[in-house]
Amino acid sequence: MRTLDEILEVETPREKYIIMEEPDKEVAAEFIRKNWRHYVILIFAFSSVKYEGRAASELSPSDHIIILKPDGTLLVHGPEKREPINWQPPGSILTSFVEKGKLVIRSRRYKPRETVIIVCESPYVLLAMNTRSGEFRMFRSESQMVDYVMRNPSFIEEGFVPVIKEYRTRFGIIDLFGRDKHNNIVICEFKRRVADVQDVAQLALYVDAIQRNSNCKVRGFLIAPGITDMALIALKEKNLEFRKLNPKSIIGGENAV
Amino acid sequence: MRTLDEILEVETPREKYIIMEEPDKEVAAEFIRKNWRHYVILIFAFSSVKYEGRAASELSPSDHIIILKPDGTLLVHGPEKREPINWQPPGSILTSFVEKGKLVIRSRRYKPRETVIIVCESPYVLLAMNTRSGEFRMFRSESQMVDYVMRNPSFIEEGFVPVIKEYRTRFGIIDLFGRDKHNNIVICEFKRRVADVQDVAQLALYVDAIQRNSNCKVRGFLIAPGITDMALIALKEKNLEFRKLNPKSIIGGENAV
DNA sequence: TGCTTGATCTCGTAT
DNA sequence: ATACGAGGTCAAGCA
């Protein structure tokens, strides 16, 4: 059920952006409550943060950049690093109020139940931005590597025949499943980055599991732009094989989808 | 009111924040060049982004929130999601200039060589923030789970004796290495979240590797707050064992670092 | 909804 | 510098 206020907000023409310098806390709290679904809101404030959920954390009072998105995302950024210090993912529910003279921003989510509480002593700036999202395209994914090998099976070795992509087993999903020229089973695991020991472990698990249910010989290939030393040791101990493939080198002519 | 020259000549941050609405592009470019090492700078602009590096991407012109940090971090956020659409990690080098009447922000890094180029047609707002970072504390990590089992070895089973934490092997690091009451080797792998098939694969690799170099029986335990179905199947096939431990349930009395 | 896996993963730490 | 493993990983795709 929408209140009259909520209806009015939606109908009201929206500014491209709204700036409040040193905003009154009551005004800021009301603005956040009424508008967080419509604007991306940035708050630059001296603030402290407490988080309680899968883990728990405390951030002592300092200058932080707080971003609230219409989808429920909350970010608390400091002056360093790509990662936010604290955050809440999309779907979280926001509220804001004044308590003991301080501006409080609280975000809650369920499954898992998690709460972030931000207490602002002095909000320096509040900036609300009316944004629309653009179109985004990415290239050079792992699936493009699989497509390349599907079209160029001899990359694995002469006589290799791809059979099925993303073959689902009880143990997990095999990137590419096929046969070699002697009709042995071939399992291919692709990585777009340098392969590590974890990737070898994953391939070994698949090979062992398939081998247990089959009389054929089962061979495992790891296809990646490189492999770490430890991973190479583990690979050889497990009698698995490696093929070097750089996603950068297969961009020619790959633009489908 | 400070003059433009005064603003541009700032070497170290003096103002808590500086706001420019609809800034002139030449002024914005010069401000960014001169001040990105001193302020966290937010730019709200109609802009397009191209990225070229480990992968490649294109973001069509739209409204974006661009954040530049003194450590070289660059973030391009849209109105949704916790993750930036494009980014550059700390250590990247920034520059800015006007080209063909548009404000260009370019970030470069080496190892790997990666470039992000942002072209702003109309910068709505530029906000420079003078921030200092606070102290941050986190609780309930995986290592606290290991500590708990070290102090309560019977949690694994009667007669279990922990021997060494973070035992380094050629294949990787074993969280906890010990012996059972029959002097069999025991390998423990901890996860603070629900364990999946990858975690079983990792444990299986360690157990197989140690078994190959030993005459003792080698047992493997996975300790986590839960385990997925596929992981449980793989676990049983590999004759490994599971112990349920929730990091939340061991916080009582655990505050020593 | 839950599960599985990729990611320009990022980030800390130890060798 | 490299490598390994954790992460409140997040987010997409599919049963």
Side-chain angles (χ1 to χ4, degrees):
Chain A
M1 174 63 105
R2 296 158 74 206
T3 66
L4 183 59
D5 271 355
E6 283 167 347
I7 290 164
L8 287 173
E9 284 159 44
V10 175
E11 305 303 333
T12 302
R14 290 151 63 190
E15 307 293 329
K16 195 69 207 172
Y17 62 91
I18 297 166
I19 298 177
M20 300 182 193
E21 299 189 42
E22 317 278 347
D24 176 81
K25 286 166 189 158
E26 290 283 2
V27 172
E30 187 174 357
F31 183 87
I32 292 167
R33 278 201 310 279
K34 288 196 170 173
N35 291 289
W36 69 274
R37 286 287 192 193
H38 309 301
Y39 289 89
V40 177
I41 300 173
L42 171 136
I43 299 147
F44 176 43
F46 188 81
S47 56
S48 62
V49 185
K50 279 194 185 182
Y51 154 71
E52 169 67 40
R54 286 168 290 181
S57 74
E58 287 179 13
L59 178 56
S60 65
S62 189
D63 296 324
H64 300 122
I65 293 150
I66 300 152
I67 294 172
L68 317 173
K69 295 191 183 189
D71 68 352
T73 300
L74 178 149
L75 304 169
V76 179
H77 271 277
E80 293 182 326
K81 304 288 166 178
R82 201 206 85 136
E83 289 303 298
I85 308 169
N86 282 107
W87 71 90
Q88 204 72 302
S92 307
I93 303 299
L94 208 75
T95 189
S96 183
F97 49 88
V98 176
E99 195 174 73
K100 294 177 188 164
K102 292 177 182 172
L103 172 63
V104 178
I105 298 166
R106 191 181 64 199
S107 171
R108 281 207 170 126
R109 69 184 290 216
Y110 310 91
K111 291 165 89 101
R113 184 170 175 75
E114 298 194 290
T115 309
V116 170
I117 296 175
I118 303 170
V119 178
C120 303
E121 295 183 32
S122 42
Y124 305 118
V125 181
L126 187 154
L127 170 59
M129 294 164 277
N130 175 359
T131 72
R132 289 195 295 172
S133 51
E135 191 199 342
F136 183 65
R137 287 186 302 161
M138 267 278 294
F139 314 100
R140 304 182 194 167
S141 66
E142 183 188 284
S143 71
Q144 287 174 300
M145 294 171 71
V146 180
D147 291 343
Y148 173 81
V149 171
M150 289 284 283
R151 289 194 313 276
N152 305 278
S154 66
F155 173 83
I156 299 297
E157 67 180 19
E158 274 314 313
F160 171 65
V161 180
V163 175
I164 184 169
K165 263 203 300 187
E166 297 185 7
Y167 176 56
R168 295 185 133 67
T169 71
R170 283 177 303 152
F171 332 99
I173 301 157
I174 292 167
D175 289 335
L176 181 58
F177 186 94
R179 297 277 188 176
D180 71 9
K181 63 182 169 188
H182 302 298
N183 215 34
N184 295 318
I185 290 173
V186 174
I187 292 170
C188 298
E189 176 71 27
F190 291 75
K191 294 294 158 187
R192 69 174 309 289
R193 49 164 174 75
V194 173
D196 61 25
V197 73
Q198 295 252 29
D199 304 323
V200 175
Q202 185 178 358
L203 177 59
L205 187 81
Y206 294 158
V207 169
D208 287 357
I210 298 290
Q211 185 69 83
R212 200 170 298 115
N213 299 331
S214 171
N215 298 321
C216 295
K217 185 180 170 190
V218 180
R219 301 170 66 194
F221 285 85
L222 190 55
I223 299 102
I227 184 165
T228 66
D229 292 344
M230 273 198 200
L232 191 59
I233 292 169
L235 186 97
K236 300 209 171 198
E237 294 225 0
K238 283 285 183 181
N239 290 311
L240 303 170
E241 294 163 80
F242 177 72
R243 289 289 180 274
K244 183 174 174 173
L245 179 60
N246 195 324
K248 244 178 169 168
S249 66
I250 59 167
I251 53 173
E254 272 56 66
N255 40 16
V257 183
Chain B
M1 178 57 122
R2 299 157 71 208
T3 66
L4 182 60
D5 274 353
E6 280 170 346
I7 290 169
L8 290 176
E9 279 168 20
V10 164
E11 290 300 327
T12 53
R14 288 192 292 236
E15 306 296 323
K16 196 67 209 172
Y17 62 90
I18 296 166
I19 298 178
M20 300 183 193
E21 299 189 42
E22 318 279 347
D24 176 81
K25 286 167 191 157
E26 290 284 2
V27 172
E30 189 174 357
F31 183 86
I32 291 167
R33 278 202 309 279
K34 290 196 172 174
N35 290 289
W36 69 275
R37 286 288 193 191
H38 309 299
Y39 289 89
V40 176
I41 300 174
L42 172 136
I43 300 147
F44 176 43
F46 187 81
S47 57
S48 62
V49 186
K50 280 195 184 180
Y51 155 70
E52 169 68 38
R54 286 167 289 183
S57 74
E58 288 178 12
L59 179 56
S60 66
S62 189
D63 296 325
H64 301 121
I65 293 150
I66 302 151
I67 294 172
L68 317 173
K69 295 191 182 188
D71 68 353
T73 300
L74 179 149
L75 304 169
V76 179
H77 271 278
E80 294 182 324
K81 305 289 170 179
R82 200 206 85 135
E83 289 303 299
I85 308 170
N86 283 105
W87 71 90
Q88 202 75 300
S92 307
I93 302 299
L94 208 75
T95 190
S96 183
F97 49 88
V98 176
E99 195 174 73
K100 294 176 188 166
K102 292 175 182 172
L103 173 63
V104 178
I105 298 165
R106 190 182 65 200
S107 169
R108 282 210 170 122
R109 69 185 290 219
Y110 310 90
K111 290 166 88 93
R113 182 169 176 77
E114 296 194 292
T115 309
V116 170
I117 296 175
I118 304 170
V119 178
C120 302
E121 295 182 32
S122 42
Y124 305 119
V125 182
L126 187 154
L127 170 59
M129 294 164 278
N130 174 0
T131 72
R132 288 196 289 180
S133 50
E135 191 199 342
F136 183 65
R137 285 186 301 159
M138 267 280 292
F139 314 101
R140 302 182 196 167
S141 66
E142 183 188 283
S143 70
Q144 286 174 299
M145 295 171 71
V146 180
D147 291 342
Y148 173 81
V149 171
M150 290 283 284
R151 288 194 312 276
N152 304 278
S154 65
F155 174 83
I156 298 298
E157 67 181 18
E158 275 312 315
F160 171 66
V161 179
V163 176
I164 183 167
K165 267 203 297 188
E166 299 187 4
Y167 176 57
R168 295 185 136 64
T169 72
R170 283 178 303 152
F171 327 101
I173 301 158
I174 293 166
D175 289 336
L176 181 57
F177 186 94
R179 298 277 189 176
D180 72 8
K181 63 182 168 189
H182 303 297
N183 214 33
N184 295 318
I185 290 172
V186 173
I187 292 170
C188 298
E189 175 72 27
F190 291 76
K191 294 292 158 188
R192 71 174 309 290
R193 49 162 173 77
V194 173
D196 62 24
V197 72
Q198 296 252 30
D199 303 324
V200 175
Q202 185 178 356
L203 177 58
L205 187 79
Y206 294 158
V207 169
D208 286 358
I210 299 289
Q211 185 69 82
R212 201 169 300 116
N213 299 331
S214 171
N215 298 320
C216 296
K217 185 179 169 189
V218 181
R219 300 170 67 195
F221 285 85
L222 190 54
I223 299 102
I227 184 164
T228 66
D229 292 346
M230 272 196 200
L232 191 59
I233 293 169
L235 187 96
K236 301 210 170 197
E237 295 225 0
K238 283 285 182 180
N239 291 310
L240 303 170
E241 294 163 79
F242 176 72
R243 289 290 181 274
K244 183 174 172 171
L245 180 61
N246 196 324
K248 243 177 170 168
S249 67
I250 59 168
I251 54 172
E254 270 56 66
N255 37 19
V257 176

